[in-house]
Amino acid sequence: MKKSPFQVLLLGLLPFLLFALVVWPYQYLNETVLVEVFGCGCPQIDENGNAIESALNANDITAVFWLVIAILVTIIAAILARRLPRRWLRILYVLGVFLLSLVMAKELYRHMMWM
């Protein structure tokens, strides 16, 4: 049975559902746990007026988290791409999903970044 263009579009967008599923739980975790444990990444000044740099903070964890999600979305897209009839379509689809997921990860990181 041949799929309608609408079904093909929905199947193609399916990997991006992962972003929607993890955004709110991660936001809560970031605000309640990560900032308390690792610090906010905000510039801290000591009593002499020198900036104190932390080795790892909540912003770093957030950047790594969204990069991992972007990679997982790309892996899911690569698995789904096996159903596409032409090799160039598979490559174009996976590359497009990868680039779009990187943009989404960057924007979510910027949205959740502590300053």
Side-chain angles (χ1 to χ4, degrees):
M1 183 174 169
K2 190 160 176 114
K3 293 181 181 173
S4 72
F6 182 71
Q7 289 173 324
V8 172
L9 178 65
L10 283 180
L11 188 61
L13 295 176
L14 185 64
F16 293 106
L17 185 60
L18 184 59
F19 280 105
L21 292 175
V22 299
V23 70
W24 297 115
Y26 185 77
Q27 177 77 26
Y28 178 76
L29 179 73
N30 190 19
E31 291 174 358
T32 58
V33 176
L34 296 178
V35 171
E36 296 297 323
V37 173
F38 296 105
C40 68
C42 311
Q44 298 176 358
I45 307 297
D46 65 7
E47 62 275 353
N48 297 326
N50 299 321
I52 302 171
E53 296 203 23
S54 61
L56 182 68
N57 59 49
N59 288 341
D60 299 328
I61 304 285
T62 300
V64 170
F65 176 79
W66 288 118
L67 181 60
V68 167
I69 295 299
I71 291 168
L72 286 174
V73 166
T74 304
I75 290 170
I76 293 168
I79 292 168
L80 291 175
R82 291 186 294 175
R83 297 181 178 183
L84 292 173
R86 305 238 189 270
R87 185 171 188 213
W88 67 270
L89 273 176
R90 290 191 290 264
I91 293 170
L92 186 63
Y93 170 68
V94 173
L95 184 63
V97 167
F98 177 65
L99 294 175
L100 186 57
S101 63
L102 282 179
V103 169
M104 290 176 69
K106 178 185 173 197
E107 290 304 312
L108 286 166
Y109 167 68
R110 286 179 40 174
H111 174 70
M112 293 181 182
M113 187 169 49
W114 297 93
M115 294 201 201

